[in-house]
Amino acid sequence: MSSAGLAKFETPIGTCAIAWGPSGLLGVQLPGASELAALARLQKRYPFADEAVPPPAIAAIVARIAAFLGGASDDFADLPYDFSQVSDFEAGVYREALAIPAGATSTYGAIAAKLGDRGRSRAVGRALGHNPWPIVVPCHRVTGADGKMGGFSAPGGRATKLRLLEIEGALAPESLPLFGAAP
Protein backbone atom coordinates (compact mmCIF):
# COMPACT_ATOMS: atom_id res chain seq x y z
CA MET A 1 0.00 0.00 0.00
CA SER A 2 1.25 3.47 -0.90
CA SER A 3 1.86 6.14 1.72
CA ALA A 4 -0.30 8.42 -0.42
CA GLY A 5 -4.06 8.03 -0.48
CA LEU A 6 -7.17 9.41 -2.04
CA ALA A 7 -10.87 9.22 -1.29
CA LYS A 8 -14.17 10.60 -2.52
CA PHE A 9 -16.60 12.33 -0.16
CA GLU A 10 -20.05 13.88 -0.25
CA THR A 11 -20.71 17.60 0.09
CA PRO A 12 -23.75 19.85 -0.35
CA ILE A 13 -22.59 20.61 -3.93
CA GLY A 14 -21.82 16.99 -4.93
CA THR A 15 -19.14 14.32 -4.69
CA CYS A 16 -15.65 15.76 -4.18
CA ALA A 17 -12.32 13.96 -3.74
CA ILE A 18 -9.16 14.49 -1.72
CA ALA A 19 -5.57 13.22 -2.04
CA TRP A 20 -2.92 13.20 0.67
CA GLY A 21 0.64 12.04 1.20
CA PRO A 22 3.28 11.89 3.90
CA SER A 23 4.03 15.62 3.52
CA GLY A 24 0.41 16.78 3.62
CA LEU A 25 -2.49 17.56 1.38
CA LEU A 26 -1.77 16.81 -2.30
CA GLY A 27 -5.03 17.85 -3.90
CA VAL A 28 -8.77 18.45 -3.69
CA GLN A 29 -11.18 17.94 -6.56
CA LEU A 30 -14.57 19.56 -7.04
CA PRO A 31 -17.54 17.51 -8.28
CA GLY A 32 -17.56 16.41 -11.89
CA ALA A 33 -20.22 15.13 -14.26
CA SER A 34 -20.62 11.87 -12.34
CA GLU A 35 -20.17 10.64 -8.78
CA LEU A 36 -16.81 9.08 -9.68
CA ALA A 37 -15.47 11.95 -11.82
CA ALA A 38 -13.70 13.80 -9.00
CA LEU A 39 -11.96 10.65 -7.80
CA ALA A 40 -10.97 9.70 -11.35
CA ARG A 41 -9.37 13.12 -11.93
CA LEU A 42 -7.28 12.80 -8.76
CA GLN A 43 -6.30 9.21 -9.65
CA LYS A 44 -5.01 10.52 -12.99
CA ARG A 45 -3.12 13.39 -11.34
CA TYR A 46 -1.68 11.23 -8.52
CA PRO A 47 -1.29 7.70 -9.94
CA PHE A 48 0.98 6.79 -7.03
CA ALA A 49 -1.89 7.28 -4.53
CA ASP A 50 -4.13 4.40 -3.51
CA GLU A 51 -7.82 4.75 -2.75
CA ALA A 52 -8.09 4.51 1.03
CA VAL A 53 -10.10 5.46 4.08
CA PRO A 54 -8.83 8.90 5.13
CA PRO A 55 -6.77 8.94 8.32
CA PRO A 56 -8.22 11.07 11.16
CA ALA A 57 -6.38 14.28 10.16
CA ILE A 58 -7.61 14.01 6.56
CA ALA A 59 -11.13 13.03 7.72
CA ALA A 60 -11.18 16.26 9.75
CA ILE A 61 -10.26 18.23 6.59
CA VAL A 62 -13.02 16.44 4.66
CA ALA A 63 -15.53 17.43 7.35
CA ARG A 64 -14.36 21.06 7.19
CA ILE A 65 -14.68 21.17 3.38
CA ALA A 66 -18.19 19.68 3.51
CA ALA A 67 -19.21 22.18 6.22
CA PHE A 68 -17.75 25.06 4.20
CA LEU A 69 -19.67 24.02 1.10
CA GLY A 70 -22.76 23.98 3.28
CA GLY A 71 -22.22 27.61 4.28
CA ALA A 72 -19.81 27.46 7.25
CA SER A 73 -16.93 29.93 7.31
CA ASP A 74 -13.37 28.59 7.09
CA ASP A 75 -10.13 30.01 5.71
CA PHE A 76 -8.23 26.67 5.49
CA ALA A 77 -4.93 28.52 6.07
CA ASP A 78 -3.85 26.00 8.71
CA LEU A 79 -4.03 22.92 6.47
CA PRO A 80 -0.84 20.93 5.79
CA TYR A 81 -0.37 21.68 2.08
CA ASP A 82 2.30 19.68 0.24
CA PHE A 83 3.82 22.49 -1.83
CA SER A 84 6.55 20.15 -3.16
CA GLN A 85 4.28 19.30 -6.11
CA VAL A 86 4.16 22.93 -7.38
CA SER A 87 6.71 25.57 -8.44
CA ASP A 88 7.91 28.28 -6.04
CA PHE A 89 5.92 30.89 -7.99
CA GLU A 90 2.75 28.79 -7.79
CA ALA A 91 3.29 28.22 -4.07
CA GLY A 92 3.56 32.01 -3.62
CA VAL A 93 0.32 32.54 -5.56
CA TYR A 94 -1.47 29.91 -3.47
CA ARG A 95 -0.21 31.43 -0.21
CA GLU A 96 -1.47 34.86 -1.31
CA ALA A 97 -4.85 33.34 -2.23
CA LEU A 98 -5.01 31.76 1.23
CA ALA A 99 -4.65 35.25 2.73
CA ILE A 100 -7.91 36.42 1.09
CA PRO A 101 -10.60 36.18 3.77
CA ALA A 102 -13.87 34.36 3.14
CA GLY A 103 -16.46 36.78 1.81
CA ALA A 104 -13.81 38.95 0.13
CA THR A 105 -12.12 38.98 -3.26
CA SER A 106 -8.81 40.14 -4.70
CA THR A 107 -7.50 40.50 -8.24
CA TYR A 108 -4.90 38.70 -10.34
CA GLY A 109 -2.93 41.94 -10.55
CA ALA A 110 -3.02 42.52 -6.80
CA ILE A 111 -1.58 39.06 -6.18
CA ALA A 112 1.08 39.62 -8.85
CA ALA A 113 2.00 42.94 -7.19
CA LYS A 114 2.35 41.23 -3.80
CA LEU A 115 4.70 38.76 -5.46
CA GLY A 116 6.80 41.61 -6.82
CA ASP A 117 5.61 42.11 -10.41
CA ARG A 118 2.12 43.43 -11.20
CA GLY A 119 2.77 42.56 -14.85
CA ARG A 120 2.60 38.85 -14.03
CA SER A 121 -1.17 38.86 -13.53
CA ARG A 122 -1.64 36.37 -16.39
CA ALA A 123 0.90 34.06 -14.78
CA VAL A 124 -1.09 34.33 -11.55
CA GLY A 125 -4.21 33.36 -13.52
CA ARG A 126 -2.41 30.35 -15.02
CA ALA A 127 -1.20 29.25 -11.58
CA LEU A 128 -4.71 29.54 -10.18
CA GLY A 129 -6.00 27.58 -13.16
CA HIS A 130 -3.71 24.73 -12.09
CA ASN A 131 -4.55 25.01 -8.38
CA PRO A 132 -4.40 21.47 -6.96
CA TRP A 133 -6.52 22.54 -3.97
CA PRO A 134 -9.63 24.33 -5.30
CA ILE A 135 -11.99 25.37 -2.53
CA VAL A 136 -9.36 25.20 0.22
CA VAL A 137 -6.87 27.39 -1.66
CA PRO A 138 -9.55 29.90 -2.63
CA CYS A 139 -8.78 30.62 -6.30
CA HIS A 140 -12.50 31.40 -6.62
CA ARG A 141 -11.88 34.59 -4.60
CA VAL A 142 -9.66 36.05 -7.34
CA THR A 143 -11.31 38.19 -10.03
CA GLY A 144 -10.28 40.43 -12.87
CA ALA A 145 -9.36 44.04 -12.16
CA ASP A 146 -12.59 45.23 -13.76
CA GLY A 147 -14.73 43.23 -11.31
CA LYS A 148 -15.41 40.47 -13.84
CA MET A 149 -15.27 36.91 -12.58
CA GLY A 150 -12.37 35.78 -14.75
CA GLY A 151 -11.92 32.11 -15.47
CA PHE A 152 -12.39 29.09 -13.24
CA SER A 153 -10.94 25.75 -14.32
CA ALA A 154 -13.02 23.53 -12.04
CA PRO A 155 -15.97 21.61 -13.44
CA GLY A 156 -18.84 24.03 -13.99
CA GLY A 157 -16.45 26.90 -14.70
CA ARG A 158 -17.66 30.39 -13.81
CA ALA A 159 -21.01 29.06 -12.58
CA THR A 160 -19.15 27.06 -9.92
CA LYS A 161 -17.02 30.10 -9.06
CA LEU A 162 -20.15 32.21 -8.62
CA ARG A 163 -21.74 29.50 -6.49
CA LEU A 164 -18.72 29.36 -4.19
CA LEU A 165 -18.67 33.16 -3.86
CA GLU A 166 -22.40 33.09 -3.13
CA ILE A 167 -21.87 30.48 -0.39
CA GLU A 168 -19.28 32.82 1.16
CA GLY A 169 -21.43 35.93 0.83
CA ALA A 170 -18.87 37.63 -1.43
CA LEU A 171 -21.26 38.78 -4.14
CA ALA A 172 -22.38 42.03 -2.53
CA PRO A 173 -21.32 44.86 -4.88
CA GLU A 174 -19.24 46.56 -2.21
CA SER A 175 -17.13 43.40 -1.77
CA LEU A 176 -16.00 43.20 -5.40
CA PRO A 177 -12.77 44.95 -6.45
CA LEU A 178 -14.60 47.27 -8.84
CA PHE A 179 -16.56 48.79 -5.95
CA GLY A 180 -14.37 48.11 -2.92
CA ALA A 181 -11.17 49.71 -1.76
CA ALA A 182 -8.25 49.64 -4.17
CA PRO A 183 -6.01 46.58 -3.75
Side-chain angles (χ1 to χ4, degrees), residues 68 71-77 96-106 135-136 138 140-141 164-171 175:
F68 175 77
S73 182
D74 200 326
D75 67 9
F76 300 110
E96 289 299 329
L98 281 164
I100 305 166
T105 60
S106 186
I135 303 170
V136 295
H140 61 278
R141 294 181 191 153
L164 292 170
L165 290 171
E166 181 180 28
I167 287 168
E168 293 183 345
L171 294 181
S175 69

Side-chain angles (χ1 to χ4, degrees), residues 86-93 95:
V86 300
S87 72
D88 289 343
F89 177 77
E90 290 168 329
V93 169
R95 286 185 176 103

Side-chain angles (χ1 to χ4, degrees), residues 3 18 37 47 61-62 70 98 113 129 144 163 169 171:
S3 60
I18 191 166
I61 294 169
V62 164
L98 281 164
R163 188 169 184 191
L171 294 181

Side-chain angles (χ1 to χ4, degrees), residues 69-134:
L69 292 173
S73 182
D74 200 326
D75 67 9
F76 300 110
D78 63 329
L79 296 186
Y81 298 98
D82 182 349
F83 286 111
S84 70
Q85 303 291 313
V86 300
S87 72
D88 289 343
F89 177 77
E90 290 168 329
V93 169
Y94 303 144
R95 286 185 176 103
E96 289 299 329
L98 281 164
I100 305 166
T105 60
S106 186
T107 65
Y108 302 105
I111 290 175
K114 287 181 180 181
L115 295 174
D117 185 355
R118 189 169 185 87
R120 295 202 67 195
S121 60
R122 287 183 189 259
V124 168
R126 280 190 298 280
L128 292 172
H130 293 106
N131 178 6
W133 307 281

Side-chain angles (χ1 to χ4, degrees), residues 18-22 24-25 53-65 78-80:
I18 191 166
W20 64 91
L25 194 58
V53 173
I58 299 300
I61 294 169
V62 164
R64 286 173 63 184
I65 294 170
D78 63 329
L79 296 186

